[in-house]
């Protein structure tokens, strides 16, 4: 790896405009860059991936409903024709607020304004065994890994004679009863009930357990009581075993150990039980709340760090309506980005800034192929109409006309045929040592 401390990021266009460096092209960072394109700012957008990922649909990649490319969007394409925005694929390591400089694995860059929008990663709450042996779903490649793992488990299971010995390959245990866990469990149950029996007629799918484990007394924590109850009933009617008030103590890759409730055999433990913010160096300890989120004021600015802002999942803005901070969801990230774009203009014009005010548009979750629960600010409803609402909202939120069209076709096909067709087991070829060396030197 080159010495990133010693050289500036090459090939950044010269500009007299104020330079906004954005770290992370997730919901917040990408929205901000899009709002600032063709405006009087030079924008440098940095992300360790060269694509934007639509996290709400990861579970469909994991359960063979959608291709990864349908929910990932090349970042460079978004900014075709926007001369003031430069994208770089770079891992950001830390920044120095005193000299307004940020350091990445491909060079450093100076900024006028710095916006941190690095999102969150999976939280295992300190359990190293679970971290090493379970499967998280925080990136599109992790979702693809889950899909491959489940399919290869079945290809292995079919060659095992005794049904007792097949159990741990066939069972799927999901930890975390929030929207991700509920949606994964519903989609897994659909695969088990409708698809796998046709693919593997030799296997008995009554032996395949899908278990959803939640530490609290209810599913879908922040949703309405009626949505929580409906989600539970829907999952149970699909044959998902829901275990509430249940704590996972340990996992060794084959057996889940529960607190006071015995063990479950499985080689597939999907961990959707918590997140913690991503961090880079440069801030003081007092900038962080105990849960790792960065304290910001009503304008998303970090305390004692003028010109440095934090948006989305990594930030903690406490306001009268949200004394513990806003929920870590896409709408908060997007709305904070829109507000910051407005305020950056006001700062440049020397005018008054606008405090952030979150407008809660509601929440929703699907359960299986044709049911959902929807809580809107003015109405709550469940069932098939909720499912159509969920489809429409997610289709509209996806970036790019091609992606919208492909997803629409995939969903229509899956709905009509009961047969998602993405069950290919394509593994990347192992990289030769010489190729690996060349790749490392390039970085
Ligand atoms: C499986 C799943 C399902 C979800 N479903 C929903 C849903 O249905 N509705 C909803 O509202 N929310 C949902 N969420 C939450 C939502 O996705 C997040 O709240 C939202 O993505 C937060 O946006 P963000 O911009 O803060 O971070 P992100 O969108 O996570 O983006 C962070 C970006 O920063 C980049 N990055 C991180 N560290 C570095 C670094 N050091 N250097 C360079 N780049 C870096 C990452 O590559 C990433 O692109 C879901 C989340 C998950 C994981």
């Amino acid at each position: 790896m080159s010495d990133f401390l010693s050289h500036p990021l090459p090939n950044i266009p010269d500009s007299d405009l104020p330079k906004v460096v954005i770290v992370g092209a997730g919901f917040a960072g990408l929205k901000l860059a899009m709002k600032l394109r063709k405006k009087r700012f030079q924008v440098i957008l940095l992300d360790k991936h060269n694509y934007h990922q639509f996290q709400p649909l990861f579970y469909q990649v994991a359960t063979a409903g959608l291709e990864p490319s349908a929910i990932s969007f090349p970042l460079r394409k978004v900014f075709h024709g926007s001369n003031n925005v430069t994208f770089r694929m770079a891992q950001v390591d830390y920044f120095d607020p005193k000299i307004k400089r940020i350091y990445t694995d491909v060079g450093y860059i100076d900024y006028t304004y710095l916006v941190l929008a690095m999102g969150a990663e999976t939280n295992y709450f300190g359990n190293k065994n679970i971290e090493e042996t379970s499967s998280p779903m925080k990136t599109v490649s992790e979702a693809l890994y889950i899909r491959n793992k489940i399919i290869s488990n079945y290809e292995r299971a079919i060659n095992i004679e005794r049904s007792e010995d097949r159990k741990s390959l066939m069972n799927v245990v999901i930890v975390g009863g929030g929207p991700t866990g509920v949606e994964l469990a519903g989609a897994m149950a659909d695969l088990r009930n409708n698809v796998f029996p046709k693919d593997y007629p030799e296997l008995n799918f009554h032996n395949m357990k899908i278990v959803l484990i939640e530490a609290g007394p209810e599913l879908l924590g922040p949703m309405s009581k009626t949505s929580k109850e409906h989600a539970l009933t829907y999952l149970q009617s699909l044959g998902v075993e829901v275990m509430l008030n249940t704590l996972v103590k340990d996992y060794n890759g084959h057996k889940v150990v529960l607190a006071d409730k015995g063990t479950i055999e499985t080689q597939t433990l999907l961990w959707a039980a918590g997140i913690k913010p991503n961090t880079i160096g440069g801030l003081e300890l007092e900038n962080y709340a105990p849960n790792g989120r960065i304290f910001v004021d009503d304008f998303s600015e970090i305390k004692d760090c003028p010109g440095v802002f934090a948006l989305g999942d990594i930030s903690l803005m406490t306001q009268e309506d949200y004394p513990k901070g806003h929920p870590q969801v896409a709408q908060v990230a997007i709305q904070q980005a829109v507000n910051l774009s407005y305020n950056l203009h006001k700062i440049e014009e020397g005018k008054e800034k606008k405090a952030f005010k979150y407008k809660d548009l509601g929440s929703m979750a699907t359960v299986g192929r044709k049911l959902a629960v929807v809580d809107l600010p003015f109405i709550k409803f469940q069932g098939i109409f909720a499912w159509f609402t969920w489809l429409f909202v997610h289709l509209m939120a996806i970036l790019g006309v091609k992606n919208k069209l492909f997803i629409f076709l995939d969903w229509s096909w899956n709905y009509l045929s009961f047969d998602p067709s993405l069950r290919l087991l394509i593994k990347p070829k192992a990289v030769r040592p010489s190729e690996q060396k060349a790749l490392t030197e390039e970085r």
Side-chain angles (χ1 to χ4, degrees):
M1 191 192 292
S2 54
D3 179 5
F4 58 85
L5 288 178
S6 63
H7 70 82
L9 203 59
N11 302 323
I12 297 293
D14 284 336
S15 169
D16 294 332
L17 297 173
K19 193 183 284 173
V20 183
V21 176
I22 305 172
V23 186
F27 282 102
L30 180 60
K31 186 69 183 182
L32 180 62
M34 288 166 80
K35 292 293 287 181
L36 295 178
R37 70 180 152 188
K38 300 190 177 160
K39 298 284 166 23
R40 296 208 47 76
F41 291 95
Q42 183 185 22
V43 179
I44 314 291
L45 179 62
L46 307 170
D47 198 292
K48 57 187 174 187
H49 301 114
N50 73 346
Y51 50 86
H52 169 76
Q53 318 180 59
F54 192 79
Q55 301 181 20
L57 292 180
F58 281 175
Y59 84 95
Q60 295 221 356
V61 172
T63 52
L66 287 175
E67 278 296 2
S69 58
I71 60 154
S72 317
F73 201 84
L75 287 163
R76 290 183 180 282
K77 191 169 168 173
V78 183
F79 299 104
H80 281 175
S82 314
N83 294 337
N84 70 324
V85 183
T86 304
F87 170 72
R88 275 309 152 81
M89 191 170 88
Q91 166 85 35
V92 176
D93 295 309
Y94 69 101
F95 73 104
D96 185 341
K98 288 192 203 82
I99 56 169
K100 295 196 160 219
R101 179 169 287 180
I102 181 149
Y103 297 90
T104 81
D105 61 348
V106 286
Y108 67 74
I109 184 156
D110 295 331
Y111 60 81
T112 318
Y113 303 104
L114 174 63
V115 182
L116 305 179
M118 290 98 61
E121 59 167 327
T122 306
N123 193 348
Y124 301 93
F125 306 100
N127 191 319
K128 282 278 162 219
N129 289 347
I130 294 180
E131 181 168 353
E132 275 160 27
T133 48
S134 71
S135 302
M137 199 178 64
K138 234 358 223 142
T139 62
V140 73
S141 35
E142 288 171 349
L144 191 57
Y145 176 83
I146 292 174
R147 178 178 107 185
N148 283 351
K149 182 178 173 117
I150 290 168
I151 295 171
S152 43
N153 280 352
Y154 278 87
E155 297 298 344
R156 283 165 63 203
I158 205 154
N159 295 320
I160 294 176
E161 207 154 335
R162 273 168 31 98
S163 76
E164 270 306 294
D165 299 337
R166 290 198 288 257
K167 258 188 193 165
S168 82
L169 282 167
M170 293 180 71
N171 292 342
V172 174
V173 177
I174 301 157
V175 187
T180 301
V182 167
E183 293 186 332
L184 254 178
M188 277 307 311
D190 269 342
L191 278 180
R192 189 260 320 262
N193 299 345
N194 304 307
V195 181
F196 285 161
K198 288 186 267 177
D199 276 6
Y200 306 96
E202 302 88 337
L203 297 179
N204 179 357
F205 281 86
H206 295 300
N207 290 336
M208 175 185 178
K209 272 194 200 184
I210 297 169
V211 185
L212 176 62
I213 299 178
E214 163 57 39
E218 295 167 319
L219 298 174
L220 297 177
M223 290 193 78
S224 64
K225 194 168 165 33
T226 168
S227 285
K228 293 176 200 202
E229 287 169 359
H230 273 86
L232 179 62
T233 314
Y234 292 161
L235 283 174
Q236 286 169 336
S237 66
L238 287 170
V240 175
E241 209 174 299
V242 181
M243 300 179 78
L244 300 172
N245 296 310
T246 304
L247 267 180
V248 172
K249 265 176 58 185
D250 211 351
Y251 180 55
N252 63 3
H254 284 82
K255 203 173 269 183
V256 188
V257 181
L258 307 173
D260 306 325
K261 293 193 182 167
T263 59
I264 308 172
E265 269 185 58
T266 183
Q267 293 189 35
T268 311
L269 181 72
L270 308 182
W271 190 258
I275 55 167
K276 61 177 180 196
N278 287 315
T279 51
I280 57 170
L283 290 172
E284 302 295 332
L285 216 56
E286 52 269 26
N287 289 118
Y288 294 98
N291 60 12
R293 290 169 83 176
I294 301 169
F295 287 118
V296 294
D297 64 14
D298 287 350
F299 311 97
S300 295
E301 196 162 20
I302 301 174
K303 195 168 164 268
D304 297 330
C305 251
V308 183
F309 302 85
L311 299 177
D313 280 4
I314 58 164
S315 70
L316 185 70
M317 184 191 288
T318 51
Q319 295 187 316
E320 205 179 329
D321 298 352
Y322 295 92
K324 292 183 179 163
H326 298 93
Q328 286 162 294
V329 294
Q331 266 306 319
V332 170
I334 291 169
Q335 291 179 30
Q336 285 180 342
V338 173
N339 196 59
L340 180 58
S341 140
Y342 175 89
N343 282 340
L344 287 175
H345 286 94
K346 294 294 153 194
I347 296 169
E348 283 297 308
E349 291 161 8
K351 293 190 180 152
E352 204 178 324
K353 294 179 289 180
K354 187 169 76 181
F356 175 70
K357 180 128 186 64
Y358 176 48
K359 189 165 179 232
D360 186 358
L361 301 178
S363 42
M364 49 186 76
T366 43
V367 191
R369 205 175 57 97
K370 54 182 181 184
L371 294 169
V373 293
V374 172
D375 287 359
L376 298 180
F378 46 92
I379 187 174
K380 299 172 187 13
F381 51 102
Q382 299 82 27
I384 188 139
F385 183 63
W387 184 73
F388 278 115
T389 309
W390 181 95
L391 285 188
F392 179 76
V393 168
H394 283 77
L395 208 53
M396 288 304 106
I398 279 279
L399 213 55
V401 178
K402 190 200 89 186
N403 287 23
K404 281 191 204 326
L405 186 67
F406 279 33
I407 290 179
F408 178 72
L409 289 175
D410 266 336
W411 282 348
S412 308
W413 176 259
N414 295 346
Y415 181 72
L416 295 173
S417 72
F418 252 131
D419 193 7
S421 48
L422 306 170
R423 304 190 297 280
L424 309 178
L425 200 52
I426 301 174
K427 295 179 188 161
K429 186 187 112 196
V431 179
R432 287 192 213 108
S434 58
E435 288 169 335
Q436 183 60 52
K437 190 163 173 273
L439 283 172
T440 316
E441 278 166 6
E442 263 170 38
R443 298 285 285 148

